[in-house]
Amino acid sequence: MTYFEDIYKRRGRLWGTTSKEQLLNISKKYFEDYLLNGASSETIVIDSRQYTAAVHDNKDDENKISKHFLLPVTVSAGPGTLISWYGDYWLIVQKEKRSFEAYNKFLAFRCNNAVNWIDEYGILKTSPCYLFSTMGTKVENNFKIAVGKIVFPNLNKRLNIILPYQLIKNEQRFIINSEAWRVVERDLVSVNGILYLSLEEDLIDSFDDDIVNNIADSGKLNDSTIDIGIDTLSLEVGESFIFNPILYKDGKLISDASFAYTVLTGSTFISMVGSSVSGVKLGTATIEVYLIGNEELKTSCSITVVETSQAKKVLQLM
């Protein structure tokens, strides 16, 4: 093989060893150039990280509530992912399936609302969502005039919500636009990563619902606590301590709760293995204990590592 033949073959394999592989890699390169120079390229944010995406109108959407986002295949995204773009959240509901993927093409709905709720452990949660009504006709067509007065028909008001998957149960209540709603149906199977909720109108509880902040059952806020018995701990170098957390929910002991531990600060001063912490060297550290399955329910403890207090033998010369 001559020198020139060797160079030719190496250049020929630059994009891959097969024609399909070469075509795919060349197409990925063309898409990268398209993102750099295309008129539809925009800066978006996913999970606090910025990306460049091509944003196209959805031609099948007459109401202009959805768009297509084209992203490199290296970007981790899928149904249930929230895209932040020009101050709005867009919820990915579908990934276009193609046999030849030089890029990912996602269909996303613009989130037109946000819902707040208090979960079973009293933690306040919030999520952008796409909210729409299932009323059969437009509202203005439901208003009828009789005897010179506007008559409001007695409708069975329902709302639908699409949001990233969350652990929300039936009968969960929401305050939306100063009205109370209750979950009557859930669908978390049709699209992986997406939770579909069907809500019916509920009665406002004037004692327990926070209309101003759109929080239903606000009296349940922070009704669960993790008790580890101490706020601060002093350990000698080489000494160990085992935590035994207890979960209380609405004042009652929950016996089957499981906990996890993480070192927030000072990881060089202590060693944490499971629920056991040991002093390594002089310094101060902070550990956090949280409920497995709900990391927002947590407590912390400050740990100070001190010198050993073992008695030292002293020899006195006479």
Side-chain angles (χ1 to χ4, degrees), residues 36-301:
L36 288 174
N37 305 303
S40 60
S41 294
E42 299 282 355
T43 298
I44 65 170
V45 177
I46 299 176
D47 293 331
S48 302
R49 295 186 61 183
Q50 288 190 348
Y51 299 97
T52 301
V55 184
H56 295 170
D57 290 335
N58 180 10
K59 296 179 181 179
D60 297 327
D61 179 10
E62 296 180 355
N63 297 318
K64 308 297 183 184
I65 61 173
S66 63
K67 288 187 181 293
H68 289 291
F69 290 80
L70 280 58
L71 285 159
V73 293
T74 55
V75 177
S76 178
T81 300
L82 287 170
I83 296 173
S84 178
W85 179 48
Y86 282 111
D88 287 326
Y89 282 106
W90 294 74
L91 175 62
I92 295 178
V93 297
Q94 184 185 68
K95 176 186 175 183
E96 184 178 280
K97 295 182 179 179
R98 289 169 291 135
S99 58
F100 187 81
E101 292 190 339
Y103 57 88
N104 287 329
K105 184 177 182 180
F106 299 108
L107 176 65
F109 286 2
R110 184 180 68 84
C111 296
N112 57 5
N113 215 308
V115 288
N116 305 313
W117 72 98
I118 297 176
D119 72 4
E120 60 177 323
Y121 292 106
I123 302 297
L124 176 62
K125 299 195 173 184
T126 185
S127 174
C129 68
Y130 174 63
L131 182 149
F132 58 100
S133 171
T134 56
M135 294 170 66
T137 57
K138 294 182 179 179
V139 174
E140 56 266 27
N141 293 333
N142 289 325
F143 297 157
K144 296 182 179 180
I145 299 178
V147 196
K149 295 181 180 180
I150 296 179
V151 177
F152 294 84
N154 184 19
L155 297 172
N156 181 20
K157 295 173 63 176
R158 298 193 78 173
L159 286 179
N160 288 331
I161 293 178
I162 300 174
L163 72 163
Y165 175 76
Q166 303 279 349
L167 188 59
I168 297 176
K169 298 181 178 180
N170 279 334
E171 302 300 321
Q172 175 69 55
R173 297 178 69 252
F174 297 93
I175 302 296
I176 301 174
N177 298 331
S178 299
E179 293 184 333
W181 300 86
R182 177 174 49 87
V183 175
V184 292
E185 290 182 51
R186 299 180 305 143
D187 181 357
L188 47 85
V189 177
S190 297
V191 181
N192 190 33
I194 299 289
L195 178 62
Y196 174 95
L197 299 176
S198 181
L199 286 70
E200 280 189 353
E201 191 177 21
D202 200 15
L203 296 176
I204 291 285
D205 185 337
S206 57
F207 294 99
D208 217 22
D209 291 340
D210 184 347
I211 307 300
V212 175
N213 296 301
N214 286 323
I215 303 174
D217 304 319
S218 60
K220 296 180 180 179
L221 185 63
N222 299 325
D223 68 349
S224 297
T225 57
I226 297 175
D227 185 5
I228 58 175
I230 53 175
D231 297 321
T232 61
L233 175 65
S234 180
L235 284 178
E236 297 178 3
V237 175
E239 185 182 10
S240 298
F241 179 84
I242 297 177
F243 287 96
N244 292 289
I246 298 174
L247 174 64
Y248 290 98
K249 179 182 176 183
D250 196 21
K252 298 178 181 179
L253 173 65
I254 307 299
S255 59
D256 58 349
S258 298
F259 305 91
Y261 305 81
T262 185
V263 180
L264 294 180
T265 62
S267 58
T268 60
F269 305 123
I270 62 172
S271 173
M272 193 88 203
V273 179
S275 61
S276 176
V277 60
S278 302
V280 175
K281 62 180 181 180
L282 304 186
T284 302
T286 304
I287 65 105
E288 191 171 74
V289 184
Y290 61 89
L291 180 67
I292 292 179
N294 196 329
E295 297 184 6
E296 295 174 75
L297 183 55
K298 55 193 175 184
T299 189
S300 61
C301 179

